[in-house]
Amino acid sequence: MTAEPSGDRRETIRANLRAVRERISAACETVGRDPREITLIAVTKTFPASDVRLLADLGVTDVGENRDQEAAAKAAECAGLPLTWHFVGRLQTNKVRSVAAYADVVHSVDRPRLVSALSTAAVRAGRALRCLVQVSLESGAESRGGAAPADVPALADAVAAADGLELGGVMAVAPLGADPAPAFARLADTAHALRAAHPAATIVSAGMSGDLEQAIACGATHVRVGTALLGGRQAIVR
């Protein structure tokens, strides 16, 4: 049985959430956007299901995880909550069947083999998975994952044509140690080109605790925030 969260933890998360929402509002005001255009995804990796419940009580119902073993258990424990589960980490094909059982959105589709595996798993599970094509924003390196921009159109076409899958848009992680703004501007160009071929693929998942303002300035519709909401990472929850 999971222990009830303390009142101090609730107030900490409440205050952090208020601060993050204020940052989102300020970033939107700067570029003339409506804050209601932005979906806040709380990345809860390494944090307990009790934090997920607190977030849900506070109105955050989009939850992101990046490890299947942790995410599957947490999703099961929170099955009674009206949550949208986002799988945001690199996804190996041997984890696809498990992920397809609970995830609503998979952000990290970066290769044709993964498209095929997700399609098979989604059909088997009788579910529809919204998929985002992860775009690499790094020159000459793929340490943070993603398809090369030149490969995005074909990959998006494959997702759109696959049974059980819905093409939602694109996702990216800013390069380490560099100004994220130019990278997010490149992502915006890729997203614009994708929408020309697939008008319904409107999601741009970009921006985290340290760079959400730059991402919003470049058209992000979804920001993935962990540390700014929940604090420094804890030991992995198993």
Side-chain angles (χ1 to χ4, degrees):
M1 184 174 179
T2 304
E4 288 298 316
S6 70
D8 286 348
R9 182 60 174 160
R10 177 183 294 273
E11 289 311 309
T12 295
I13 293 177
R14 187 194 303 275
N16 290 347
L17 176 60
R18 184 184 305 115
V20 169
R21 291 204 182 281
E22 288 173 355
R23 286 177 62 190
I24 290 172
S25 294
C28 287
E29 183 176 2
T30 297
V31 294
R33 296 185 63 188
D34 187 337
R36 291 174 294 184
E37 297 175 9
I38 311 300
T39 297
L40 172 61
I41 301 171
V43 179
T44 56
K45 64 182 181 180
T46 79
F47 289 95
S50 58
D51 279 355
V52 177
R53 287 192 289 272
L54 285 175
L55 286 162
D57 287 345
L58 293 168
V60 179
T61 54
D62 286 85
V63 179
E65 290 282 338
N66 73 339
R67 294 177 71 253
D68 171 61
Q69 181 180 3
E70 179 184 347
K74 206 175 293 183
E77 190 171 346
C78 297
L81 297 175
L83 301 173
T84 298
W85 288 92
H86 299 254
F87 191 85
V88 301
R90 284 186 174 181
L91 180 55
Q92 301 301 316
T93 53
N94 66 345
K95 298 293 187 181
V96 161
R97 187 170 182 177
S98 175
V99 169
Y102 61 84
D104 300 292
V105 189
V106 176
H107 288 233
S108 48
V109 177
D110 61 358
R111 58 199 187 278
R113 185 182 175 200
L114 186 55
V115 175
S116 298
L118 282 166
S119 175
T120 298
V123 170
R124 181 184 290 121
R127 303 186 72 229
L129 296 181
R130 179 171 288 181
C131 293
L132 310 184
V133 176
Q134 184 175 355
V135 183
S136 174
L137 299 180
E138 297 171 290
S139 300
E142 295 186 352
S143 62
R144 308 203 82 180
D151 296 332
V152 169
L155 197 55
D157 289 345
V159 172
D163 292 336
L165 306 184
E166 173 191 340
L167 177 64
V170 295
M171 182 274 259
V173 181
L176 288 168
D179 180 359
F184 288 148
R186 295 195 300 274
L187 179 65
D189 291 340
T190 301
H192 179 76
L194 182 64
R195 287 193 300 273
H198 301 279
T202 58
I203 293 175
V204 180
S205 171
M208 299 189 292
S209 292
D211 55 20
L212 67 85
E213 287 86 358
Q214 294 92 331
I216 288 171
C218 291
T221 63
H222 291 59
V223 293
R224 310 179 304 272
V225 179
T227 303
L229 279 176
L230 299 173
R233 298 296 176 205
Q234 301 179 348
I236 296 295
V237 174
R238 298 192 185 279

